[in-house]
Structures are given as structure tokens and as C-alpha cells.
Amino acid sequence: MLGVQELTSEQLRSMYRAILLPRLIEERMLILLRQGKLSKWFSGIGQEAIAVGVVSALEADDYILPMHRNLGVFTGRGVDLLTLFRQLLGRDGGFTRGRDRTFHFGILQHHIVGMISHLAAMLPVADGLALAAQLKGTRQVAAAFIGEGSTSEGDFHEAANLAAVWKLPVIIVIENNQWALSTPTNEQYACADLADRAAGYGMPGAVVDGNDCLAVYHAVRAAADRARKGHGPTLLEFKTFRMRGHEEASGTDYVEEEAIEEWARKDPVLRFERSLIQQGLLSEDDAQTQRSELKREIEGLADQALATPDPDSTAERELGDVYASPATPNSQLPTPNSSDPERRYVDAISDGLREGMRRDDKVILMGQDIAEYGGVYKITEGFVEEFGKARVRNTPIIESAAVGAALGLSLAGFRPMVEMQFGDFITCAFNQIVNNVAKTKYRWDEPVPMVIRAPIGGGTGAGPFHSQNVEAWFTHVAGLKVVQPATPFDAKGLLLAAFEDGNPVLYLEHKLLYRSEKGPVPDGYYTVPIGRGRVALAGTDATIVTYGVGVRWALEAAEQLARDGSSVEVIDLRSLLPWDRAMVFDSVKKTSKVLVLHEAPLTGGFGGEVAAAIGEEMFESLDAPVMRLGGLDMPVPFSKTLEEIYMPKVRLPAALRDLLAY
Ligand SMILES: Cc1ncc(C[n+]2csc(CCOP(=O)(O)OP(=O)(O)O)c2C)c(N)n1
């Protein structure tokens, strides 16, 4: 065993207690599981040396991102055990109040950021936390746990690469327990050791005995020292063994008995205990007394937790915790003034970003080619000169890790913005957005202020992968807000509102409008409240509810019809999640006829939501069925002539005539 001499006997004895505690808690949990008092358990028995070694080697304010077998991180950081037991048993008073299971939560007070089920999703978050430390100039590091199986996930590679490129103070802690559910390592990866990959990312890597608490301690200590000196990340592969089934119900039939016996002889708790006894730092009696005392304490806590009722709540309370309340609720509705300077839509976005960055130095921009190059649409041109490279950051081509890193930054007090180079590529970040970013506030009550900007839409002859409208993929996701401005005024005001909001806001900007839409945009700071629509044109005979480029088409069509004596009202939703139901319902009450229009394909489009709500709530005001018009249910074609066939614009005049004539 390495380096015993470098730790005081006091430290070694407290490390013994630290490794014993999770083992004994787990043993209790396994009994509760057999008694049917616990629904599921992912055992970390045999792997405790890694969690305990990591916690012991790091400072209390270093971030740790544990996974499903790392009870030792929570106990090691001294989290309240009764709350933890209530959490593990799914009772009221647990860290998530019954909203998520076992270790799926963070406690920022303890600098722990817990997992989501999606494997590897927390690695990019560790990058963001480490970046926050780098930007603030603290000496904190972020250590992220991951199983060897999960190193096959894309997020692992994106995050490792990003950490290396940005020299982030990150420690990647691979727990190689040789099984990923039932899959052995030779069916998971083809390199000899996962630590070999480190060289490919440009960081040091090492294989470490994961059943030796002190070996773990020293390896992590060295990696942390390196990170604190600004030398960047380290990848540590801890060899260990999963002694029990993937989770208790699935068993270990596929594991050879000899392997289990061999690794039982290397049990990290017994090994550490024996070594302390051999060195005279612990007596057999001492060890026995500690075990008995801890067992008694654990039993008492488990009984107390079991006596706690199941979570009790109401729909209102649960819904009320999905979003953070906006920092400064906006009640006034600003409107453009014709004396304001005229700006293009693209310049209004740029202006809004600049205002947002000037107002709050916690706003950090990340995206592909956004720094010196100014972004593919030149929205951030000149930003590096004004704000510096630390705040205007080129990322590698990593949509998922960029969003994950933004989550980490956000948890550490920043207001990040990620620019998707094209909205279509947001699919590569889907998991981070819908599972990690959107669900954090509800699960463990930590707000995630951030903005994701995405240039979307067709009409530019850009083909199936640079023309899509992505809103419906996200308006289904509680925890996100989704906006889509149609005018330069709203483009700036909604962007500033998105930064102010305190929630994750997806800001969709239509590429066709960038340089063709112009209008008055005030200088300085103003916000357009999220969730409020706008009557783009008042009318009496029918309503078109739309957003984005649809507003332009609707206004053109309404103008055409006005010549024939029909008066069409156009509602620009501006915000899709949440959307302005009251404004839409008022308009329907007035006109009794409504058409919902969007560029995205019709089936499953956001218009279906609006149409359904009108049908449910306004049935008695309607003089015609609610009509919907969207793009054809097909990919957006490349050729301009084919793209015109796709676009609903060509079908709009006829649809409106039908509606008016109904
Ligand atoms: C993205 C994703 N795919 C699949 C799963 C299902 N799953 C949960 S744990 C697991 C095995 C993980 O193996 P490993 O990363 O080696 O960690 P270990 O469980 O061995 O600690 C799988 C396949 C998941 N949770 N997330």
C-alpha cells in the first residue's frame, strides 16, 4: 500500500470510518430491499475505496459528480444522513422530496452535483463547473465519476476533449468494475486500458488499483494538484470489480464464481482495515466497536426514515416547482417607437447579446466559430474585442458537451448562452437539453438560467439539414421555455428577457428574417416578456395564430384579403412555451374563425397544441372548425422549387379563403 506515511494516523483512522460507513449502510439497504421496503438498489460494495479516496483527496469545495454506486461520496461529504435515508427510501423529506430516485440529485452546499439516468451526461457538466472555477480564479477542481461502460457514450468523448482543449481543472474518474450490466469489457472497448485514451485527448492518464483507498487518494491528489496549477485535466482509470448484480434483482449468473472469489480477497474495506491493524493504527477491538456503533446508528436512522410518510403534494405545488420564478417579473408590454433606430433582425439579436453581456458579466457565450470569426451569421462579430476570449468562447464541434458545460456554468452562478451554429444540429444536444437542463429545477430545486440560441427555418434553399423548424421537439418538455421572435424589436427584447428569466430558454431565430426583416429597435436595455403574444394586425373576420416567418406570410395574406374587403387579425405568439392563451382566446372570441399557421411540418407540430386548446376552451365561440396549416410532412427539400412545394405559404391564400367562406 502506497504512501501511508504521508497521512497522519488521525487521517487514516477517519478514512477507515469513511470507508466503513457506506459499506454498512449498503448492507442495511440490502436487508430493506429483501424485506420489500426499498424498490431498487445499485450496489457499490467492493468499489468504496474509489469514492472514499476521491473525497479524502479533494477539498470540501471541489465539485464531485458521483454515479449510482458512489454512496461514499455522499457520506464522505457529510451530508445529513437522515435526509439521505429518506431520499434512498423515496420518503418525504428526502433531497428530492420523492421527485427522483436514489442518488439523482445535487447538493451545492456540499459541492455535489448528482447524476441523471443517462450515462455520461454529467461529464460535460463537470467541464462547466471546472470552467466556472477557472473563470472565477478559484482553486476548485471537478471530479466526475463514470463507469467503464459509459465511456463509450458520446458525452464522454466530447467532455474529455473539451476539458483538454480548455485545460479545465477536471478529473475523470473511471470506475472500471469490468461489467456494464451484463456486458464485459472486451465487448465494450478495444483498447487495452481506458487510460490509454488519455493520450489521444492530450491529457495524462493512469491505471490505478481501485481497491486500494490510499492508491486512489494519491492518484487523485496528484491530478488535483496538476489541475490547480492550471495544467488541465487527468484521466484516472480505477480497476475494481462489481461484486453484486448490476442492480440487486438482476443477479450475477453471467459472472464467473472464481472472479468473484478472487476479488472478494481484495475487498477494499477489509484490505484497509488489515493494513491499519498491521501498522498498529487500529486494533481488532476498535474495528469491531466502530462497526457496532455505526450499525446501531444506521439502524436508528433507517427506522426513522421508514417511519416518515410518503411524499404528499398537490398538482399546483409540483407544477409550481418546474420553473424558477423570473427574477424580475415583467408586467408592462413595451412597444417599438417609430423614432427608434431601424435595425435588421440579425443586428437586433447582436445588439441584444451585447447589451446582455454589458449588463451582466456572468453572461458567457459558447459556440462554434463565434469568437474572432464572429459566428457564421456574424452575430458576435467584434465581441472578442469588447468582452475578451474568456467570455466569448469557441467550442470544438460538440453541441452536447457545450450544453452540458453550460449547465455546469449555470449551477456555479453564471448565465451561459450556447449558440447552435444551425438549429438542425440541436438534435446532437437533445439529451442534455431535455433531460439534464430542463429537469434539474424540478428534481432538486436548483434553477438553471441559460439561453440556447438556434438559427432555424427554411426558405434559403439550404436542404433537409439546414432548414428545419425544431420548436415542437422542445415545446413538449416541461422545464424549458421556448421563444421565437418575428420582428427586430422582439428579437432584442426577448433575448434580454431570456437572459433575465432564470430558466433555460430556447431562443429560435429565423434565418430568413436575419437580413430581410427590418424595424425600429430602441438603443439600450429593454425586455419583451416571455409568454406574451402580440397582435401584429387587428381584424374582425378571422384570426391567424402564428409565429416566426409565419407572421410575415400572414400579414402579406391579410393585406391581400383586405383589398377584397376581409379583415384578418394576425397574432404573433412570440413565445411558444409558455404561450399566450388569453390573447389567442380573446381574438377567437372576436373573430370566431381561426387558422393556426407554422413553417414546421403539420403532423405533431406546435399548431396542434394551439388548435386543441382553442377547440377545448373556445368551442362555443367558433363559427368554423379550427384550421391548421403547416409544412408538408416531409424533409425540407434543397431545390428552391421543391422547397416552395413544402412551404405552407403557397397554400395560405386558399386556406384563408376557405376559412372566411365557411
Ligand atoms: C444512455 C443510457 N443508456 C443505457 C442505460 C441503461 N444502463 C444503466 S446502467 C448501465 C450499465 C452501465 O455500466 P457502467 O458504465 O460500466 O457502470 P456500472 O453500472 O458498471 O457502474 C446501462 C446500460 C442508461 N442508464 N443510460
Side-chain angles (χ1 to χ4, degrees), residues 44 80 91 94 125 246 262 307 372 377 428 432 548 559 581 587 636:
D80 180 66
R91 300 305 164 104
V125 182
H246 168 65
E262 183 199 330
E372 290 84 353
Y377 290 105
C428 298
Q432 285 293 346
E559 196 180 309
R581 296 162 72 97
S587 178
V636 185

XYZ file of all heavy atoms in Angstrom, residues 44 80 91 94 125 246 262 307 372 377 428 432 548 559 581 587 636:
131
model
N -22.639 -0.701 -4.598
C -21.256 -0.239 -4.780
C -20.311 -1.034 -3.898
O -19.153 -0.638 -3.726
N -26.447 15.192 5.415
C -27.297 14.772 6.522
C -27.839 13.358 6.260
O -28.525 13.114 5.262
C -28.457 15.769 6.677
C -29.358 15.360 7.814
O -28.884 15.400 8.966
O -30.509 14.948 7.554
N -38.869 8.635 0.595
C -39.835 9.217 1.530
C -39.839 10.738 1.455
O -38.947 11.350 0.869
C -39.499 8.798 2.977
C -39.526 7.315 3.211
C -40.850 6.736 2.793
N -40.809 5.296 2.646
C -41.314 4.451 3.523
N -41.903 4.876 4.612
N -41.258 3.160 3.286
N -36.761 13.705 1.780
C -35.504 13.362 1.100
C -35.035 14.543 0.261
O -35.742 15.559 0.154
N -21.026 18.437 -17.687
C -21.401 19.333 -16.584
C -20.173 19.604 -15.710
O -19.945 20.729 -15.252
C -22.563 18.740 -15.759
C -22.975 19.691 -14.652
C -23.749 18.409 -16.666
N -25.879 -6.020 -11.385
C -25.984 -4.628 -11.847
C -26.883 -3.852 -10.896
O -26.535 -2.814 -10.378
C -26.524 -4.605 -13.270
C -26.926 -3.242 -13.718
N -26.009 -2.230 -13.872
C -28.143 -2.708 -14.003
C -26.652 -1.126 -14.242
N -27.936 -1.393 -14.328
N -11.950 -14.210 -6.232
C -10.646 -13.531 -6.308
C -10.755 -12.083 -5.829
O -9.942 -11.604 -5.038
C -10.145 -13.578 -7.754
C -8.779 -12.963 -7.941
C -8.524 -12.599 -9.412
O -9.067 -13.283 -10.306
O -7.806 -11.592 -9.635
N -40.265 5.451 9.098
C -41.459 5.968 9.773
C -41.951 7.273 9.135
O -43.011 7.788 9.484
C -41.144 6.200 11.251
N -13.307 35.071 -32.751
C -12.746 36.035 -33.729
C -13.537 36.043 -35.038
O -13.725 37.086 -35.656
C -11.270 35.707 -34.021
C -10.316 35.982 -32.876
C -10.254 34.840 -31.870
O -11.053 33.878 -31.986
O -9.423 34.928 -30.944
N -23.140 33.702 -38.867
C -24.020 34.816 -39.270
C -23.527 36.158 -38.739
O -24.257 37.153 -38.751
C -25.459 34.535 -38.808
C -26.068 33.399 -39.592
C -26.228 32.142 -39.022
C -26.432 33.569 -40.921
C -26.749 31.083 -39.754
C -26.952 32.521 -41.663
C -27.108 31.284 -41.074
O -27.613 30.242 -41.823
N -28.118 17.013 -31.743
C -26.942 16.397 -31.096
C -26.878 16.759 -29.610
O -26.126 16.139 -28.863
C -25.658 16.835 -31.799
S -25.613 16.318 -33.515
N -28.981 16.460 -23.429
C -28.585 17.459 -22.430
C -29.719 18.458 -22.195
O -29.990 18.852 -21.066
C -27.320 18.212 -22.887
C -26.040 17.404 -22.749
C -25.653 17.115 -21.300
O -26.165 17.711 -20.360
N -24.746 16.176 -21.107
N -42.802 33.502 -35.847
C -41.634 33.462 -36.737
C -41.962 34.005 -38.116
O -42.690 34.993 -38.269
N -53.134 41.390 -46.001
C -53.144 42.601 -46.825
C -53.864 42.342 -48.147
O -54.688 43.132 -48.606
C -51.691 43.003 -47.090
C -51.511 44.422 -47.582
C -50.028 44.699 -47.799
O -49.239 44.437 -46.858
O -49.678 45.121 -48.901
N -52.297 32.088 -24.139
C -53.630 31.529 -24.393
C -54.694 32.620 -24.326
O -55.618 32.660 -25.146
C -53.949 30.447 -23.356
C -53.023 29.249 -23.446
C -53.049 28.419 -22.178
N -54.289 27.688 -22.033
C -54.458 26.415 -22.378
N -53.446 25.733 -22.892
N -55.609 25.812 -22.212
N -58.976 36.798 -29.171
C -59.100 37.048 -30.601
C -60.157 36.126 -31.218
O -60.968 36.553 -32.042
C -57.737 36.843 -31.266
O -57.851 37.045 -32.648
N -37.353 18.989 -45.527
C -37.342 20.229 -46.316
C -36.382 20.019 -47.493
O -35.188 19.774 -47.289
C -36.858 21.431 -45.471
C -36.979 22.727 -46.274
C -37.628 21.523 -44.161
